[in-house]
Structure formats: structure tokens, C-alpha cells
Amino acid sequence: MEIKYIKGIGEKRAKAFSKIGITKIEDFLNFIPRLYVKRYSIKLLKNYYDIPVVLYGTVRKVDFPLKSNHPAVVYLSDETGMISIPIFGASHLRAKQFHLNEKYLFYGKNTYDIFNGILKFEYRDHLKIDDTDKREVKFSSLKIFPIYELSSELKKTFIKPLTLTKIIYFSFYRLFVEDKSDVIKESLPEELFSQLGLLPLKKAKIKLNFPNEIKEVELARRRCAFDELFFLELILAIKKNLIKIENKGIAFSKDITHTVECFKKCLNFKLTSAQRRVMNEIYLDMKSEKAMNRLLQGDVGSGKTIVSIFAMLISVVNGYQSALMCPTELLATQHYRTISEFIERFNKISNLNIKIAILLGGQKKSLRKILLSGIKNGEISIIIGTHALIQENVEFKSLGLAIIDEQHKFGVLQRAKLREKGLNPDVLVMTATPIPRTLSLTIYGDLDISIIDELPRGRKDVITLIKNENEKNEVFNFIRQEINKGRQAYIVYPIIEESEKVDLKSAEENYKILKEKIFPDLNVQMMHGRIPDDVKDKIMSEFKEGKINILVSTTVIEVGIDVPNASIMVIEEAQRFGLSQLHQLRGRVGRGAEQSYCIIIAKEPYDITSRRLEIMCKTNDGFKIAEADMEIRGPGEFFGVRQSGELNLRVADLIKDKDLLFKARDIAFKMIEKDPQLRNPQHINIRNYFINNYKDSLNLMKIP
């Protein structure tokens, strides 16, 4: 049935609904309420303060406004009493909408008028009820009204909350009462949802939208949440299985005993047990004919770079090239320096001549031509770069290993393009931002995961302190004391220059003050993303050599900067940062043997800011911080996945539904292991639902 024939829609609104993907009556089954509002009698309303409510009654009187800024007042009565409802905004016109002795629903909130000392109904919406239409009578008798999100397209057609609720109710009524439709096909075997204590899907969909009691909502939501999580994990299970079965990778089978011995001799520190464990996991992957598809997680300073060098060497000694793609030129340059120094030592000990190069966007044409030629003919074995690596004119002779660092900063297509530069190379994606387990299972569930959960010996926890604006002089004095001991400091600001719209500290403005007035006798330099690359390189080299005392910067130094002598990190406007970003910035210090400090400067903190910043003071464990960050900000904001579209959960809550996620993943992966194409008769519901609702995924997974 076309939706334009549903009462309350018509041609114009049907076009607005089509823009948000609603073209037929069944599409309304996918709407999800954003809140539920109870219907109360007028007499009982006095017991409920500051909560949304719905009233149903008869309009007995309407007072027209005396002045344009006065409200119209509607007097509504039911069998328990009468209430006056003031309505502002074009109130004279609004008053004409009401007819005496007609039935209406009113949606609003009972608030306390502090000036008059009385309760007052704060109007939000109303709806006239035709008591000769049995559907409208049934609708008006609901105990609980679902309220839905109104898109901008719908608002343009003057659809209000109660109108949308009625439209969706009429759609459900038509499908399940009048037509007795079986449009909702069960997605799971009965044995499965019964075993998990979940409702049948049809009942869950109905109760999620039109419950008789509030307690029914959570039961319905959990069933719908399980479906979301289960089919997401099913896609990941299929994807992982296909990589394992179809994508024959490179077997790096050459004996690496000599390589390992030389590698160990090049180290000027002892590997942690976690690093050794992860290296072994990577080696076994690379030795296998199956293409490696692994995520390497490790807290700041845990030693992921040396693990990646080990993986590169396995590729190179087997005759293949390795590429490391970084999100910023600064990080790429830092990696290039670190890895070059190691490879230089390795070449001397092993008598090999491994060549390494860096490929960046702004390099001179003459240099770029030489580099591209060396990559194409295989003369260069290890290539480090930014997005420049995935440009069309970059051709590898034999790319065997593709490494993506800080992978959450790259899109899916960018990662895929690097992989396409070789013939199904092994892939290692790395992040220094610990990812909560629930989030990693939903976004990276198709990857094998290695975690470096141990810091190198001798590392001291960074002491984190919270200071306010009034304590800045104390902070500056402390910086000077540490510099007098031979240490260095970072001072980080959120943006580069002053903005009238955003009240943030300006890095450039404050840099001038710090350099000219507060530390005129010290070498204070500035670093941000707009500085030319050659200047950045010079600044970072001088900072690493100890020639610069204080580096004033934006978050461009968030990852990959390793200066062991820097012992102080000062973060201005800390309330503007997420916890994980604060932790990343803190990770730039504490990399040497000396005690390091992170000083967080924030404006007078409000509750949520205070909670976040206190967590930073309590722990240096990135995984605990990541969990707390997700709980406070929500999973959709972690890594900005809400904006990138990588996390599309409409009902499920990764914090509340941890138990469902773990069950869904376990069931999905075991199911695909035993029945990869869901051909088993007991999986027919799952297969049919999958085919009807996940067509794009089916094409991607090549399911017949």
C-alpha cells in the first residue's frame, strides 16, 4: 500500500517520507521511538513534575490572547477535572484551531511556575481526535505514546510529534489488525530466541512501538538489539571465513633464524613478553598461506613500532616489499627516522642491503621520480608514507606486507587501495588508541586481534594533575624547574589561531606570550599542521636533540612522537578533548627513565568534565580509559564512527548490551564455521532474513 493513502499523509508528505526511505506502509515498522510518554488523567497530573505527559480530554473553553506576546489559553477537561493550557507563538491563529466540545490529545510537560508558585502545563503539541473513527478512538486510549525523531524533511511539511505517532499507529493497525499481515518474518530459529529468553520478532517490533506497559519496552528492545548485533557479527564471520578460504595469501616460508638473531642484536633494549607473544602470532600468520588480516593494539609507548619492523623484515628477507601508511607526514617522518636507524644497524650485522624510502605528497618531482622508479623495480624494499602511497602512479614490484598505522584515521576505501597495490598481501593494522572490547568486536570483528598489554621495564607512570586557570603561574614555575634539570616540555592547545565563534585558547597567540613574556630566556618553538614539512622536520630534529626547551603545539603531536627527554605535557582547554585523545597526548611523555608529568588545565569543570578528567588522574591504563571514554561519550563518538558510518546500530547499546554482543558473536561465528553459506534447514530463517535485508553485504561476501 502506498503511504499517501494513510490518513494524515497525502501527496506532499508522502514525498517528504520518500526522502528518508519510507515509500510503503511496511517501512514504518523500522521506526524506533526516541522516548515513551504516559497518558495521565488531569487529576493525577499534579503528582508528576518535570516529565513529558499526554492528556486526553474535551476542549471546554478557549481564551484568545489580548496582546501578540500573550498566550492563547485552552481549557481541557476529562472525567477527573480541568486544566488550563497556555499556548505561545502565533497564539491568535492557534486559538482558532480548537473547537469547543471536541476531543483532543495534548503532549507536554508539567512544570513549576517559580513566580506564581503553581504547576503549569508546558505545551508541546496537540492532536484532534475524531471519536467516530474507531482507529482514532483506539489510538487515543493508548496508555503509552511513543514519540519519534522528526527529520528536517518531515518538519517542512508541518508534521508534529503526535501526528507522526498517529501515522505509525495507523500503519501498524492496518497491517496487524485489519490485514492480519505476516509482513514481519522471523529472523531466527524459535529454538534460538527461546533459549536466549528473547521475544519473537513480530511481538518485539509491536511492543517496541506500542507497549501496554513500560517494562515491555526493554524486553522488545533486547530482541531487536540482539538481531542488530547478531547480523553484524554474522557479516563479520562470513567475511573472515571468506578471507580464510578464498584469499590465498603469501607463504613467507624462508627460514628466518639468521634474521631473528640479527634482529635481536640490533635491539638496545629487552623485548617484553607481550611483544614476543605478538611477534609470534604475526610470524605464524605470515608463514601460513592464508592472508594475514590482523589488528595490533598497544597502549602508548608499548612498542608497536619494533613489532612492525620485525614483520617488515620477514617480508623483505622472503623477497617482498613492505609498506607502512601513516595518517600524517609528521608521523610518517618519525617512523622513517626510527626505522631507518634500525635498518642501518641491521644491514651492518646481517650483511644485507635493505633500502628504505619515504614517500610524501609535497616532495620534489625529481626526487619523487627516483623513488617511484625504485619502488616499481623493487630496489626499495621498505616504503613509508602517507596517502601518497595509494596514488595511481605508485606501483610496487611485489608488495607482500601492508601496514596501516593509526588505522582509525583512514577510511575503508583507503585501506583497501593500499592492499590492492599487491597480490593479496598480508595486512597489519595498528592503533595506539586502546579500543574497548565491545567496540573492537563490532567494528574490527573480522580481524584477528593482537594486544601488547605490557609496557617496557623501567617505565614510570606519568603523574597527572588537574589545574585551573588561576594556577597557571604555578604550572609555568614547575616547567622552569624541570627545564633547569635538563628536561623538556610540550604545551598543547586545541586550535591554531583565534576564532570569534569558538572560545578556545589560540596556539599562535599564546605562543607569542610564552616566548616573549613568560620564557624569554628559553628556546620556545611552535608546531602545527600548517607549518611547511621542511620546517616541521627541522623543529622536531632540534627538539629531539634537546636544542628546544618548550614545544608549543596543536594535537599534531598526538601520535608517533618519541622524545625520551621530554618530561612535561601541559594540555590547555582539556575539557575540549576526549579521554582517549588526552591519553594519547599524555603518551608523548614518560618515554624515558625520569619521572614525567601531565598537567591538565581546564576551566571550572562541570560534572561530566570533572568525571572525565578525574579518570585521567586515577589510571595510566589506556584500556580502562577507553572503556570510560565510551561509557561517557557513547560508542558512536569513539573514533568519530557515528560520522564515518562504520557503526550503524539503531537499537543496540554496546555498553548496556555487552552480554548480547558476546552471545551474538559466539553464535554467529560458530554457525558460519559449521554452515558457511547458511544452507542448513535450521538456518533457513536466518538465510532468508539475511538475503532480504543485507543485499549489499551479500554481494560483498559473494554469497550465492
Side-chain angles (χ1 to χ4, degrees):
M1 176 181 172
E2 290 186 58
I3 63 170
K4 67 181 180 181
Y5 298 116
I6 297 173
K7 189 173 181 179
I9 295 186
E11 292 276 1
K12 187 176 179 181
R13 285 178 172 173
K15 288 180 182 177
F17 274 114
S18 70
K19 289 179 180 178
I20 60 170
I22 308 297
T23 57
K24 54 187 185 297
I25 190 170
E26 293 86 353
D27 294 333
F28 285 114
L29 298 175
N30 295 319
F31 268 67
I32 297 165
R34 66 179 178 85
L35 77 152
Y36 300 87
V37 181
K38 285 187 177 182
R39 179 166 64 87
Y40 291 102
S41 67
I42 291 171
K43 182 180 179 181
L44 287 176
L45 191 60
K46 64 184 180 183
N47 299 323
Y48 298 94
Y49 166 64
D50 204 32
I51 62 167
V53 297
V54 169
L55 302 176
Y56 176 61
T58 304
V59 170
R60 299 299 184 187
K61 181 184 174 184
V62 180
D63 285 347
F64 282 72
L66 298 174
K67 295 181 180 180
S68 60
N69 62 342
H70 286 197
V73 181
V74 175
Y75 294 85
L76 187 76
S77 75
D78 63 13
E79 64 277 6
T80 68
M82 184 178 289
I83 188 172
S84 60
I85 302 173
I87 303 174
F88 291 86
S91 52
H92 195 277
L93 293 174
R94 290 197 176 217
K96 291 183 178 180
Q97 297 176 10
F98 298 99
H99 303 282
L100 299 184
N101 300 318
E102 296 283 357
K103 300 286 188 182
Y104 289 84
L105 284 168
F106 275 82
Y107 163 46
K109 186 166 71 169
N110 212 24
T111 60
Y112 187 74
D113 186 337
I114 195 168
F115 296 105
N116 298 314
I118 58 171
L119 287 172
K120 181 176 69 176
F121 189 80
E122 185 182 282
Y123 166 88
R124 292 185 179 177
D125 189 22
H126 74 273
L127 189 66
K128 187 177 181 297
I129 298 297
D130 180 358
D131 57 7
T132 64
D133 184 331
K134 68 177 182 179
R135 293 175 304 170
E136 296 218 9
V137 171
K138 282 185 174 291
F139 174 66
S140 65
S141 65
L142 289 175
K143 294 178 182 177
I144 298 167
F145 287 81
I147 301 296
Y148 300 87
E149 199 72 51
L150 280 167
S151 71
S152 57
E153 293 295 336
L154 295 182
K155 287 178 182 177
K156 289 175 187 175
T157 65
F158 303 102
I159 285 185
K160 296 292 182 66
L162 287 178
T163 303
L164 181 57
T165 300
K166 188 175 81 167
I167 287 169
I168 295 172
Y169 178 83
F170 278 13
S171 301
F172 273 69
Y173 192 88
R174 174 66 183 266
L175 287 169
F176 303 120
V177 178
E178 295 178 344
D179 294 349
K180 295 184 171 29
S181 169
D182 63 347
V183 65
I184 298 179
K185 304 292 186 184
E186 181 53 66
S187 60
L188 303 175
E190 183 178 354
E191 181 185 357
L192 178 55
F193 67 74
S194 295
Q195 178 187 336
L196 295 170
L198 300 172
L199 296 177
L201 186 59
K202 179 178 177 180
K203 188 173 182 180
K205 288 268 189 180
I206 293 172
K207 292 297 183 185
L208 185 66
N209 286 275
F210 299 102
N212 292 319
E213 299 177 76
I214 283 293
K215 66 181 181 181
E216 293 178 341
V217 173
E218 181 58 14
L219 290 172
R221 190 200 66 79
R222 278 181 65 82
R223 169 58 210 265
C224 296
F226 180 83
D227 273 37
E228 276 189 349
L229 296 169
F230 174 73
F231 284 99
L232 173 60
E233 292 299 327
L234 201 67
I235 290 170
L236 295 173
I238 291 171
K239 189 175 178 182
K240 189 170 185 177
N241 187 65
L242 280 173
I243 290 172
K244 184 171 69 175
I245 294 173
E246 294 183 3
N247 293 352
K248 189 175 180 181
I250 302 162
F252 297 93
S253 55
K254 187 174 179 180
D255 182 69
I256 61 166
T257 304
H258 178 64
T259 302
V260 171
E261 288 303 315
C262 294
F263 176 82
K264 287 178 180 178
K265 289 177 183 177
C266 290
L267 295 173
N268 50 17
F269 57 88
K270 189 174 181 179
L271 293 170
T272 64
S273 57
Q275 285 174 313
R276 292 197 300 273
R277 183 189 70 244
V278 167
M279 286 176 180
N280 188 56
E281 290 169 352
I282 291 170
Y283 172 61
L284 292 175
D285 270 1
M286 295 183 73
K287 192 177 178 182
S288 163
E289 286 188 352
K290 298 167 187 172
M292 178 170 72
N293 203 29
R294 186 169 288 276
L295 171 67
L296 173 58
Q297 286 190 73
D299 210 341
V300 286
S302 62
K304 294 179 299 304
T305 303
I306 199 66
V307 172
S308 70
I309 292 173
F310 176 73
M312 290 180 198
L313 289 174
I314 294 173
S315 173
V316 171
V317 298
N318 275 273
Y320 291 89
Q321 293 167 299
S322 296
L324 169 58
M325 186 166 72
C326 308
T328 66
E329 292 189 352
L330 188 62
L331 180 55
T333 303
Q334 178 77 24
H335 273 316
Y336 175 67
R337 285 184 181 144
T338 303
I339 297 170
S340 292
E341 289 172 6
F342 189 92
I343 294 300
E344 188 178 344
R345 295 197 300 272
F346 184 84
N347 283 340
K348 288 178 181 177
I349 294 172
S350 65
N351 293 320
L352 294 176
N353 186 27
I354 297 170
K355 290 191 177 179
I356 179 171
I358 183 168
L359 195 66
L360 304 173
Q363 289 169 317
K364 291 180 180 179
K365 286 186 178 179
S366 56
L367 173 60
R368 190 174 180 81
K369 187 177 180 181
I370 294 169
L371 293 177
L372 291 177
S373 174
I375 295 169
K376 187 175 181 178
N377 64 29
E379 184 183 339
I380 299 172
S381 300
I382 296 175
I383 305 94
I384 294 162
T386 56
H387 301 76
L389 289 174
I390 58 177
Q391 292 176 353
E392 286 185 17
N393 61 349
V394 180
E395 295 180 47
F396 290 81
K397 181 183 180 182
S398 55
L399 181 62
L401 174 66
I403 302 176
I404 297 109
D405 196 16
E406 292 305 319
Q407 57 77 39
H408 61 277
K409 294 182 183 286
F410 291 103
V412 175
L413 293 178
Q414 291 168 320
R415 298 196 294 264
K417 279 184 179 179
L418 181 59
R419 188 170 198 160
E420 288 166 6
K421 293 290 182 180
L423 189 61
N424 203 26
D426 281 6
V427 174
L428 181 68
V429 293
M430 305 194 299
T431 179
T433 303
I435 307 165
R437 189 180 176 209
T438 49
L439 195 58
S440 66
L441 290 181
T442 50
I443 299 179
Y444 310 116
D446 58 320
L447 304 178
D448 293 311
I449 298 177
S450 289
I451 299 175
I452 304 178
D453 51 5
E454 181 183 0
L455 291 176
R457 289 178 184 176
R459 288 279 176 91
K460 296 178 181 178
D461 283 347
V462 177
I463 295 172
T464 304
L465 307 167
I466 301 173
K467 300 291 181 180
N468 59 44
E469 294 283 332
N470 299 327
E471 298 173 295
K472 292 280 280 293
N473 287 335
E474 179 187 324
V475 173
F476 294 146
N477 288 335
F478 182 69
I479 291 173
R480 185 173 288 279
Q481 288 172 21
E482 287 295 299
I483 289 173
N484 288 339
K485 294 177 185 176
R487 304 285 158 260
Q488 293 163 278
Y490 299 95
I491 301 178
V492 176
Y493 293 88
I495 60 172
I496 297 172
E497 55 197 16
E498 289 288 1
S499 166
E500 293 178 3
K501 294 181 180 178
V502 186
D503 179 26
L504 296 178
K505 293 288 184 185
S506 159
E508 286 185 340
E509 289 296 317
N510 282 277
Y511 165 62
K512 290 177 185 176
I513 295 170
L514 290 166
K515 186 177 180 67
E516 296 171 8
K517 296 182 179 180
I518 299 172
F519 301 109
D521 54 324
L522 299 178
N523 187 352
V524 182
Q525 293 297 328
M526 175 89 184
M527 169 75 80
H528 58 68
R530 296 181 196 171
I531 291 176
D533 296 333
D534 57 339
V535 179
K536 279 184 198 168
D537 290 346
K538 185 174 182 292
I539 291 170
M540 284 313 302
S541 292
E542 290 183 353
F543 189 60
K544 195 161 188 177
E545 291 166 12
K547 296 176 181 177
I548 295 171
N549 303 115
I550 300 172
L551 186 63
V552 179
S553 177
T554 59
T555 55
V556 70
I557 56 113
E558 180 184 345
V559 292
I561 306 304
D562 187 6
V563 181
N565 191 52
S567 65
I568 304 176
M569 167 63 68
V570 176
I571 306 170
E572 288 265 18
E573 293 283 355
Q575 73 277 1
R576 303 283 183 173
F577 297 93
L579 275 179
S580 291
Q581 194 173 32
L582 289 174
H583 181 61
Q584 284 288 321
L585 289 167
R586 178 171 63 182
R588 296 311 101 209
V589 295
R591 307 177 83 85
E594 301 298 326
Q595 179 63 61
S596 291
Y597 304 86
C598 177
I599 302 172
I600 296 170
I601 299 176
K603 289 184 176 178
E604 289 301 323
Y606 50 91
D607 286 348
I608 194 166
T609 300
S610 179
R611 275 177 60 206
R612 287 170 55 234
L613 301 185
E614 283 171 7
I615 291 165
M616 289 292 295
C617 295
K618 288 176 181 176
T619 181
N620 278 262
D621 187 323
F623 288 94
K624 289 180 181 176
I625 288 169
E627 289 285 351
D629 201 13
M630 191 174 82
E631 286 184 19
I632 292 169
R633 293 197 294 160
E637 301 303 332
F638 198 96
F639 287 162
V641 289
R642 190 186 304 284
Q643 287 74 26
S644 70
E646 291 192 46
L647 184 66
N648 187 25
L649 300 176
R650 299 172 67 236
V651 184
D653 181 323
L654 293 185
I655 299 163
K656 185 192 292 186
D657 298 323
K658 279 184 182 179
D659 64 319
L660 290 181
L661 173 61
F662 297 144
K663 287 174 185 174
R665 179 174 175 79
D666 184 55
I667 293 167
F669 273 73
K670 284 179 179 176
M671 189 177 292
I672 294 304
E673 186 180 344
K674 293 178 181 177
D675 186 13
Q677 294 188 345
L678 300 171
R679 294 290 189 184
N680 193 312
Q682 72 186 72
H683 298 151
I684 192 67
N685 283 358
I686 295 171
R687 181 181 172 83
N688 290 340
Y689 190 87
F690 200 54
I691 289 171
N692 292 330
N693 293 278
Y694 295 87
K695 290 176 184 173
D696 291 342
S697 296
L698 287 172
N699 294 335
L700 181 67
M701 310 308 168
K702 303 172 185 175
I703 298 288

